[in-house]
Amino acid sequence: MDLLKIQLVGGKAGPLAIAFMAMMFALSPQLGAANGLSSKETQAAQKLYTGKCAKCHKLYDPNGYEPERWELWMQKMKKKSKLKPDQFELLSRYIDANLRTETKPDIKPKP
């Protein structure tokens, strides 16, 4: 799923990116349920993902990072985005269940 490679234009997703995300989100409640998240949890996590993560930067592919490195970035972003502990836990579960499929060599994001 290349959802994470969507570039933001002027700090916001372009029309094609929005259409693609809407399509993927329409399918992902079934994916989330298959991975231990309820439909309600999946929808809440998607809202956090687009509202907190994509608000400030492109969506990075967690598969491009070693698990320890990804967790380090998640902790940094947790503070910057002011996620509450339950929001962070839900978002982490969503990413692990739906977006993390393999581990690739560590790639450092551009500041």
Side-chain angles (χ1 to χ4, degrees):
M1 181 179 331
D2 281 344
L3 173 65
L4 296 174
K5 298 197 186 246
I6 294 172
Q7 293 286 332
L8 299 179
V9 179
K12 297 185 180 190
L16 289 175
I18 291 169
F20 178 76
M21 288 190 310
M23 180 187 72
M24 294 309 297
F25 289 166
L27 296 173
S28 63
Q30 295 93 5
L31 295 173
N35 290 304
L37 295 170
S38 71
S39 177
K40 186 176 180 179
E41 288 175 317
T42 299
Q43 290 174 351
Q46 289 167 345
K47 187 174 179 180
L48 285 171
Y49 191 57
T50 57
K52 293 287 188 172
C53 305
K55 181 179 178 182
C56 297
H57 57 77
K58 75 177 189 169
L59 299 174
Y60 289 96
D61 182 354
N63 296 306
Y65 299 84
E66 296 295 328
E68 298 81 18
R69 184 72 149 170
W70 180 258
E71 182 59 28
L72 176 68
W73 279 108
M74 288 288 291
Q75 291 295 329
K76 287 180 181 182
M77 295 298 106
K78 173 185 174 183
K79 291 177 186 174
K80 285 188 171 196
S81 64
K82 299 178 180 155
L83 285 171
K84 296 175 185 172
D86 60 326
Q87 292 174 316
F88 179 75
E89 187 268 335
L90 178 62
L91 184 59
S92 295
R93 285 178 43 218
Y94 172 77
I95 290 171
D96 288 344
N98 294 292
L99 305 174
R100 184 176 281 287
T101 58
E102 59 185 80
T103 302
K104 295 180 184 175
D106 198 21
I107 301 168
K108 294 180 183 174
K110 295 178 184 176

